[in-house]
Amino acid sequence: MEYNPGWNGSSVNLLHVRAVGAGDTLHYVWSSIGAPAVLLVAAASRSSALRVNWTRLLSPAPAGAVWIDPPGSVVHSAAIVFTKVFEYSEAKAPGELFYPTYDLSSFSWDSVNRTLNRTALTAEFAGAPAADPGGSFSNGSLAFRVTAYEAGGRDGPLPSLLHTANSSKVEFVLAGVAPRGNSSRFMLEVATVEEAGVAQTLRSARSIDDEYTPTIFETLSLAAEAASGSAVLSFLQWKATAYGSRSPGRQDSIQCRAHGLRAANWTLPLSSLVRAYFGEGVGSAYSVSATNISFGGEDGEVYREKRYLSWSALLGFGQPPEDTFSPLVISIMAVALGTPVLMLLGGSCVVLVARRRRYSEYEPIN
């Protein structure tokens, strides 16, 4: 993990996570310069490195300020940008549902260096609106908590996401932010930037197994697929739930929904980091898609009571991890389904044997 590589100041945040494999390197570049964003780059070289021209990056024209050296080693690059947070209330009349939008590119962000933990591989981007006339953020903040992984495994806290060494986690947290309505709900806009020839799709997978995330049977993902559709190059994956507690339990679950995928060229400029790496061709040479992810229980009661909202997602390269039945669940299913079958077979055998042994005092005619 590197914080602001090549820059001594802490007034802006750029966090570089570099994972070196047997013959390649995975780069995650997180930044809150502009809208919070993460750049994902896979390079076919163990010695590939991130380069930053800070003078250009912090200028009004940042195109070309960020690149991977050597450039020819890059095999895939994409970006995920968290652009806006909407607050709305379904209790209001049509046309007056939404309060003024929180544009994350206009937030003021704390120094990540204060929360950076190179041992646990974690960091936090915490911020608040630069202008907050209503005082909603006077005792609260919005944060994106980042976690990198050195090996495969599963998170302990709910939603207990399954991860690999090729993935990282981001957690979106609203804490202490005063709602502007009695039944406020929140919605996060997520945008993706992909190279030409790569298609972004929104997937939904359902399973009857909720062993690790009780009562949640759906997993969603934004998958960047090659033009042939044969391979997933990168992804953003999450469970269909958020939580309203710092120590979440099943009772703290908040409904989470994705509202389709759409072309989003109209949202540009997305982020200084995106323009710095992809250049001014974003929206033409590179495609931009967006989806809204909403969080809300019945009438927004969960957030109003605890003023806490947490949503976790996994992002990385290659095929997203898939949950499979654990040996415990397989054993329970085998007993639950196998016992009636064995009883049925045993009963049938008993009936057949009893029929063959039936006694009769009549002699056969022939």
Side-chain angles (χ1 to χ4, degrees):
M1 282 182 144
E2 300 176 282
Y3 176 69
N4 287 351
W7 179 260
N8 294 325
S10 59
S11 57
V12 295
N13 293 314
L14 189 144
L15 178 66
H16 177 216
V17 182
R18 182 171 176 263
V20 182
D24 57 3
T25 308
L26 304 180
H27 298 269
Y28 296 89
V29 186
W30 301 86
S31 172
S32 59
I33 304 172
V38 55
L39 175 67
L40 297 88
V41 182
S45 169
R46 298 186 78 253
S47 59
S48 63
L50 175 72
R51 306 298 184 197
V52 181
N53 182 327
W54 282 97
T55 302
R56 183 177 296 177
L57 178 62
L58 300 179
S59 72
V66 175
W67 71 97
I68 299 296
D69 192 22
S73 65
V74 175
V75 294
H76 174 66
S77 57
I80 298 171
V81 189
F82 304 99
T83 53
K84 299 172 184 175
V85 171
F86 302 97
E87 182 180 350
Y88 64 102
S89 173
E90 293 189 351
K92 289 195 171 187
E96 298 179 337
L97 291 174
F98 287 85
Y99 297 98
T101 302
Y102 292 119
D103 187 344
L104 299 185
S105 64
S106 63
F107 269 44
S108 176
W109 301 93
D110 298 338
S111 173
V112 169
N113 201 35
R114 295 187 300 180
T115 62
L116 183 59
N117 187 327
R118 289 179 172 85
T119 302
L121 300 178
T122 59
E124 179 177 304
F125 293 79
D132 184 25
S136 295
F137 279 78
S138 58
N139 295 311
S141 67
L142 179 151
F144 292 94
R145 295 173 182 167
V146 177
T147 303
Y149 299 110
E150 292 182 309
R154 185 182 297 278
D155 277 353
L158 290 175
S160 303
L161 294 175
L162 178 67
H163 61 80
T164 69
N166 293 346
S167 57
S168 296
K169 184 181 77 170
V170 59
E171 183 181 4
F172 167 67
V173 178
L174 274 179
V177 177
R180 290 174 285 184
N182 292 330
S183 56
S184 285
R185 303 185 184 190
F186 294 92
M187 185 160 55
L188 175 66
E189 183 182 69
V190 181
T192 64
V193 181
E194 301 295 344
E195 301 166 307
V198 177
Q200 190 72 233
T201 60
L202 178 62
R203 298 176 170 183
S204 173
R206 295 183 179 271
S207 170
I208 62 171
D209 183 13
D210 68 340
E211 177 183 5
Y212 300 105
T213 313
T215 72
I216 305 303
F217 302 97
E218 184 181 16
T219 301
L220 298 107
S221 61
L222 286 172
E225 299 179 348
S228 61
S230 59
V232 175
L233 303 175
S234 58
F235 65 87
L236 178 73
Q237 182 189 60
W238 66 95
K239 295 278 190 177
T241 184
Y243 292 95
S245 172
R246 297 179 187 273
S247 301
R250 184 177 62 181
Q251 70 279 5
D252 302 309
S253 178
I254 298 175
Q255 184 183 18
C256 170
R257 293 195 307 162
H259 298 263
L261 188 65
R262 64 192 186 280
N265 295 346
W266 49 267
T267 63
L268 298 177
L270 289 167
S271 162
S272 292
L273 176 65
V274 171
R275 294 176 61 201
Y277 182 82
F278 291 101
E280 299 300 336
V282 176
S284 55
Y286 302 93
S287 61
V288 183
S289 303
T291 186
N292 289 338
I293 302 171
S294 63
F295 317 100
E298 294 185 4
D299 299 325
E301 291 291 337
V302 175
Y303 183 81
R304 186 176 66 178
E305 291 176 2
K306 299 186 177 181
R307 293 198 179 182
Y308 190 86
L309 170 68
S310 170
W311 171 76
S312 298
L314 196 72
L315 54 97
F317 300 88
Q319 191 72 27
E322 293 184 9
D323 274 316
T324 57
F325 291 110
S326 69
L328 174 63
V329 171
I330 293 175
S331 301
I332 294 173
M333 292 176 64
V335 172
L337 299 176
T339 301
V341 173
L342 291 176
M343 291 177 65
L344 180 61
L345 292 175
S348 300
C349 292
V350 170
V351 171
L352 290 174
V353 171
R355 274 185 158 184
R356 289 189 175 184
R357 292 183 177 179
R358 183 178 297 167
Y359 173 79
S360 176
E361 61 184 12
Y362 293 96
E363 295 291 334
I365 295 176
N366 297 323

